[in-house]
Amino acid sequence: FFFAFRMNIRKIFCQTKLYHHHTICVRYIHLTIHLYFIMAFADSCSRPAGASKGSDAAEGTRKYLLGGNWKANGTVASCEKIIAEFNGAGPIPANAEAVVGVPFIHIPICLQSLRSDVEIAAQNCSLTGTGAYTGETCASQLKDMGVTWVILGHSERREGFGMAGEDSELVAKKTKMALSEGLKVMICIGEKKEEREAGTTMDVCAEQLKPCAEILSKEDWANVSIAYEPVWAIGTGLTATPEMAQETHANIRQWVADNVGADVAAAVRIQYGGSMKGANAEGLLAQPDIDGGLIGGASLTLDFFNCINAVPSP
C-alpha cells in the first residue's frame, strides 16, 4: 500500500508539473516519512498472537527447539499460503520453541504476518558488519528488522553449490559475529555417507565443532544450538534410526563436555536434522539427547506442526 501510494503521488506531481516545486517537494517528503513510520508501526503490531498448550519445560531441563529450513523455496503466494496454514495450526506445546528459517526475500512478510510464537531465522549472515560488502546481509541488519535466529554451517553451504564452500573456521567466525549482534545461532554439523560407513562420524563432527569451541565463550553457548544433520539423510528420504541418532547426539554432548564444559553440555540443545517429518518425529524426539529438529521439506507444509506436536510432555 505504502509504495503504491508513494508512486501515485509522484505520478500526480509530475503530471501537474508541480513535483519540483520546493514547497510541495518538502511536503511530499514529510508525508512520505510520516507514512513510512505509520506503516512500519502497523506492521510491527500486525503479527497474530500464537497459543500454547501443556506445561513449560521443568527448571533445569532443555526446551525442545523445532526449526524449519525453507531453503531457497517459495514464492510470495506460496509463502502467504503456508503462513495462513501455520497461523491456523493450533497451539504449540509450551515446552517447545518453534522457528522457521526463510529466504531473505520472505523475511519481511513473515515478520508482518506469521504468528508471533514462531520465531524467524535467516539461513545465513555475513562475516562482516555494515559497509561496502556488495550482496551481503549482516547480522546487525537482521537483528534490526526483528530476526532472532540464524542458521550457520549448513552442509549445503559447507559443500558449496557452484562456488567455494564454507570451512569450519569461517562458520565459527560468522557464529561469533552473529552472537555479538544479538542473534541466536543454529550451528549445523554432520557427516557424509562414506564417512558414516568408514566409522568417522564423530571425527567429522568434532572437526566441525572445534573452531567454535575455540572462539566462543561459555556465555555465548547459551544462545547456540547444535543441529546434527547427517548429510546422507538430507533430502534423500533416508533417516537415521532413533537409536543411531541418539548415539551420535550423546557423543556430541560428551565432546562438548570434554572440550567446552560439562555445564554447557548439559544445557546446549542438539537438534536432529536428517529428514525429520511427522511420521518419524515422535521416535526421534523421545531420545534423551535429541532436543528438537532442523526440518527441511516438512517445514514447507503443515507437517511441520506434526513434528512440533510430537515433542514429549514434560
Side-chain angles (χ1 to χ4, degrees), residues 240-256:
T241 66
E243 293 74 23
M244 289 169 60
Q246 165 57 26
E247 179 183 18
T248 305
H249 278 233
N251 289 337
I252 292 169
R253 198 175 303 281
Q254 186 59 53
W255 188 92
V256 174

Side-chain angles (χ1 to χ4, degrees), residues 6-314:
R6 185 177 67 179
M7 294 306 295
N8 285 336
I9 291 294
R10 186 191 298 270
K11 183 177 180 181
I12 291 169
F13 285 167
C14 289
Q15 287 175 345
T16 58
K17 299 182 179 180
L18 293 173
Y19 178 73
H20 296 291
H21 190 281
H22 176 268
T23 302
I24 292 180
C25 281
V26 170
R27 289 177 179 174
Y28 164 71
I29 292 168
H30 287 172
L31 177 61
T32 300
I33 294 171
H34 183 62
L35 282 172
Y36 173 84
F37 283 108
I38 290 174
M39 296 303 293
F41 179 77
D43 286 345
S44 70
C45 299
S46 65
R47 294 183 72 180
S52 66
K53 62 182 179 181
S55 302
D56 204 345
E59 186 175 354
T61 64
R62 297 182 296 272
K63 191 169 187 172
Y64 288 92
L65 176 60
L66 281 301
N69 182 8
W70 290 3
K71 306 189 180 183
N73 289 301
T75 62
V76 172
S78 67
C79 188
E80 290 174 341
K81 180 177 181 291
I82 195 61
I83 286 172
E85 291 175 348
F86 282 8
N87 288 349
I92 291 173
N95 64 328
E97 182 178 356
V99 185
V100 288
V102 306
F104 285 131
I105 59 170
H106 295 322
I107 287 174
I109 190 173
C110 289
L111 286 171
Q112 293 167 10
S113 305
L114 183 61
R115 54 190 292 169
S116 60
D117 56 350
V118 177
E119 295 181 75
I120 309 302
Q123 298 172 15
N124 185 37
C125 70
S126 72
L127 178 61
T128 67
T130 56
Y133 307 105
T134 301
E136 292 297 286
T137 302
C138 65
S140 62
Q141 292 172 317
L142 293 170
K143 180 67 175 178
D144 180 61
M145 73 186 303
V147 172
T148 51
W149 284 88
V150 62
I151 300 168
L152 295 175
H154 192 279
S155 63
E156 291 159 4
R157 297 200 62 83
R158 289 179 184 268
E159 187 69 17
F161 21 81
M163 61 183 185
E166 299 180 355
D167 60 32
S168 297
E169 287 74 20
L170 176 59
V171 173
K173 290 175 182 177
K174 282 187 171 186
T175 298
K176 185 69 175 180
M177 170 64 79
L179 292 168
S180 73
E181 295 292 351
L183 293 177
K184 293 176 280 188
V185 181
M186 300 181 199
I187 303 172
C188 302
I189 62 171
E191 82 285 3
K192 298 177 181 178
K193 187 173 186 288
E194 59 269 25
E195 294 164 336
R196 161 67 67 169
E197 292 173 345
T200 60
T201 293
M202 265 315 298
D203 293 334
V204 173
C205 291
E207 183 179 351
Q208 292 172 340
L209 280 172
K210 184 179 178 183
C212 287
E214 293 172 345
I215 199 171
L216 302 184
S217 68
K218 282 194 172 185
E219 291 74 23
D220 287 333
W221 283 94
N223 292 308
V224 166
S225 74
I226 299 171
Y228 166 62
E229 296 193 300
V231 179
W232 50 269
I234 298 174
T236 64
L238 300 174
T239 309
T241 66
E243 293 74 23
M244 289 169 60
Q246 165 57 26
E247 179 183 18
T248 305
H249 278 233
N251 289 337
I252 292 169
R253 198 175 303 281
Q254 186 59 53
W255 188 92
V256 174
D258 294 340
N259 292 273
V260 181
D263 52 343
V264 172
V268 70
R269 292 179 289 185
I270 307 176
Q271 302 157 267
Y272 176 76
S275 293
M276 181 183 281
K277 47 188 176 290
N280 60 29
E282 184 175 0
L284 289 163
L285 294 171
Q287 304 304 309
D289 288 294
I290 298 181
D291 306 312
L294 183 54
I295 301 152
S299 71
L300 287 161
T301 72
L302 268 176
D303 198 38
F304 184 50
F305 271 76
N306 292 330
C307 298
I308 292 172
N309 287 317
V311 301
S313 299

